[in-house]
Structure formats: C-alpha cells, structure tokens
Amino acid sequence: MQKTISFRKVEYERDVKRIHNWMMEEHVHPFWNLNVPFEKFCEHLKKALLDQHQTLYVGYLNDVAISYWEAYWVKGDVVEETYPSAPFDQGIHLLIGEKEFLGKGFSLPLLRAMIYFQFQELKIDKIIAEPDIRNDKMIHVFKKCGFTPIEPITLPDKTGLLMFCERNRFEKRWPNVQFHKEIK
C-alpha cells in the first residue's frame, strides 16, 4: 500500500503535548535527554522554535503524526567545531515517537524524504548527522540512507558518531526519490 510522507513545521500549540509525550518514551529519552516535566519542556520547545539556525518539523505518514525532526545549519551549532564545515552544511536530528511505527521499516523512507527535502536548497551539498554512538539502530538507518560514518565526536550532551551525506552520493543512490512534501 502506498504511503504518503509529509512534514509540517512545528506549531507550539498544536505540537507541544505530542512532542513532550514522545520525549517521555523509553525508546526516545536515553538519546534525547528531554524526559523532563511538561513545564520545563515547554520552555525548551519555545526556545528551540525561536532559534533561527534550525527549523523543527513533525513528520506524518498518511496524515498521522509519527516523528519529530530538527533541521539545522551547522554554522552556529556546537557541532561546527568538530569538523571543517562548509557555510551551507546542514544537519538533522530525528526521532520516531509513535511506538506502533517502530520496527516497521518507516525510518529509512522518512529519513530519505527529509534528506531529499533538505537537498532542495541547492546551496546544500552536505547533510550531517551525529546520532548517539549507542544508537545502533539509527546509525544503521543513516548508513542505509547514504550517510558515511566519519568519527566519534564529543558533544555537550553525548558522544555522537559524525556522519556525512553528500548530495552527489545521495542522488546517485536514490535517483527517483519522491514524496508528498507539505510544509505548513
């Protein structure tokens, strides 16, 4: 059955409870460290939404909200100092929040769709990720999508595995990527 993937920019009122609930999930909080009381999470999300170097999205599968995404510019981020970054490198953070969608093969198509979306900005030639070094499942998904592991890096909240996805490699690997891109 054909599934439709879409992304909508996070709207505080619509999304704060849902994203907070996802942060409390056992499969999420060891890697995001945001299993905090609701009021504290509200402050965190408000601050994140005001941060001009990133854009937050909720990912949908057939109009069902299942994932959270942070697309960010490497310039101005803590990861900028971990490698010789280019001015338009972009990064991605993600989580699948709804448990019933775990282990069903949706992570790769969702990631592929988001990377495709990011590469629509023609200035971007590289997208990076730095998943927690302990998160073997997501590292595997990033590799399948076309990311190359570079090296472990130390960040303020974790040891991550720096990974690069180059535009040329991605486009060769996925020449026919299509998805319903809905950005609201």
Side-chain angles (χ1 to χ4, degrees):
M1 180 179 154
Q2 185 80 1
K3 305 245 186 257
T4 301
I5 294 171
S6 61
F7 302 99
R8 296 181 186 135
K9 289 182 180 178
V10 169
E11 292 178 15
Y12 180 81
E13 292 297 328
R14 178 188 68 202
D15 297 316
V16 65
K17 288 179 185 169
R18 172 187 5 248
I19 298 169
H20 179 255
N21 287 340
W22 289 344
M23 293 297 176
M24 304 305 281
E25 293 288 349
E26 291 294 323
H27 68 279
V28 172
H29 71 73
F31 305 113
W32 281 76
N33 299 313
L34 285 171
N35 56 325
V36 296
F38 183 69
E39 295 74 25
K40 187 169 182 174
F41 182 76
C42 290
E43 292 171 22
H44 168 82
L45 187 60
K46 285 177 184 176
K47 183 177 175 185
L49 285 166
L50 292 173
D51 185 343
Q52 295 297 308
H53 102 287
Q54 67 180 352
T55 305
L56 313 180
Y57 298 94
V58 173
Y60 292 78
L61 192 61
N62 289 349
D63 292 321
V64 175
I66 68 167
S67 58
Y68 172 70
W69 302 79
E70 297 174 346
Y72 65 94
W73 296 104
V74 171
K75 290 292 183 194
D77 193 86
V78 295
V79 76
E80 177 182 13
E81 302 300 320
T82 65
Y83 76 98
S85 61
F88 296 104
D89 286 358
Q90 199 165 72
I92 193 70
H93 298 137
L94 70 124
L95 64 87
I96 306 296
E98 296 297 329
K99 286 189 285 192
E100 64 265 26
F101 290 90
L102 294 175
K104 305 266 193 299
F106 296 124
S107 295
L108 178 59
L110 286 162
L111 178 60
R112 189 173 53 218
M114 177 53 80
I115 300 305
Y116 173 81
F117 170 69
Q118 287 178 284
F119 278 138
Q120 297 310 292
E121 170 59 62
L122 297 179
K123 296 179 201 173
I124 298 172
D125 285 320
K126 181 189 298 172
I127 298 172
I128 73 147
E130 15 75 30
D132 190 296
I133 199 93
R134 302 167 296 156
N135 196 342
D136 294 330
K137 289 179 183 177
M138 279 315 304
I139 290 170
H140 175 73
V141 171
F142 278 112
K143 287 179 183 176
K144 283 180 72 174
C145 188
F147 282 76
T148 301
I150 304 302
E151 64 184 353
I153 56 173
T154 301
L155 297 170
D157 60 340
K158 67 181 178 186
T159 299
L161 178 61
L162 182 63
M163 304 180 83
F164 293 163
C165 183
E166 306 282 345
R167 175 189 291 278
N168 292 339
R169 181 175 179 194
F170 180 81
E171 290 174 349
K172 285 177 187 169
R173 185 177 196 123
W174 307 107
N176 300 314
V177 173
Q178 294 180 4
F179 75 103
H180 173 70
K181 60 179 181 183
E182 177 182 337
I183 305 298
K184 292 183 178 178

